[in-house]
Structure formats: C-alpha cells, structure tokens
Amino acid sequence: AIYLSEYLESKVTLEDSSVTLLLQRVNRFTLMSHYLWTVWSVIRAPQACTFNEFDFLNYAQARWDTYMRTKRTLLEAQEKAKKARPRGWSDASFSSDRRAPALS
C-alpha cells in the first residue's frame, strides 16, 4: 500500500483493489522467476567444470519444486475466488485485470 500510495500520489489502503491487483501480478511474475532460474540452471549444469562447483541441478530442482508449489497455491486461490463470485458473473465481468491471462 505504501508503494502504491507513493506511485499513484494518493492514499491507498490495504483493502484497496489496486493493492490486490498488484499482488496478483507480482505472484504471476514470481512464477516466471522460478521458471527462468530452473531453465538457466539446467542449461548451466553441463558447463560446470567440476562436481565441486555449485550444484546447478539441485538448485534447478529446488526452483522447480517452488514453482509447482506456488502455482498450485495460486490455482487453488483462483478456484476459491471463482466459487465465491456472485451467481451469473463471468470471468471477464469479475476480473479487474482483463489483460492478465488466467493460470492453467
């Protein structure tokens, strides 16, 4: 809320929809970060000179596990939000962020 208050140059509270929207976007980009570092580590692993160097494959597995766990959590939250919607509302009419694709 503090970041958005400064950025928008207006008072933003935690309950504001712009805070929720920002957090949804950050969570989606967090997934991409985990995915990027997973792929980078797998590509980098054969280039390691010795096995005493950084364990790229172990790091890749840790990032992939975090990616899958985070994705599952986001999908569960998305399903919970769908169930909480008023009857007759579609995804397009309920979503405040029409540009961001749904997770699948």
Side-chain angles (χ1 to χ4, degrees):
I2 294 171
Y3 169 79
L4 285 175
S5 292
E6 292 295 320
Y7 181 75
L8 299 173
E9 297 178 351
S10 64
K11 180 73 173 151
V12 177
T13 64
L14 288 176
E15 295 79 28
D16 196 281
S17 63
S18 58
V19 173
T20 304
L21 180 61
L22 177 64
L23 289 175
Q24 289 171 348
R25 288 181 177 174
V26 166
N27 285 332
R28 287 181 181 156
F29 281 105
T30 298
L31 283 177
M32 287 309 302
S33 173
H34 292 307
Y35 186 77
L36 169 83
W37 287 113
T38 298
V39 172
W40 175 83
S41 295
V42 170
I43 291 170
R44 182 67 174 90
Q47 299 169 356
C49 295
T50 67
F51 288 107
N52 294 334
E53 283 193 37
F54 184 76
D55 189 351
F56 290 99
L57 292 179
N58 189 37
Y59 182 71
Q61 185 65 54
R63 291 304 287 246
W64 180 252
D65 293 343
T66 304
Y67 169 86
M68 294 303 292
R69 187 173 49 253
T70 304
K71 183 177 179 180
R72 188 177 326 110
T73 302
L74 291 174
L75 288 172
E76 288 169 0
Q78 189 176 21
E79 282 301 312
K80 196 179 291 186
K82 278 184 184 179
K83 290 177 183 176
R85 292 180 191 162
R87 206 170 167 170
W89 284 44
S90 68
D91 287 344
S93 63
F94 189 75
S95 176
S96 60
D97 182 14
R98 296 170 202 246
R99 293 174 293 155
L103 298 172
S104 56

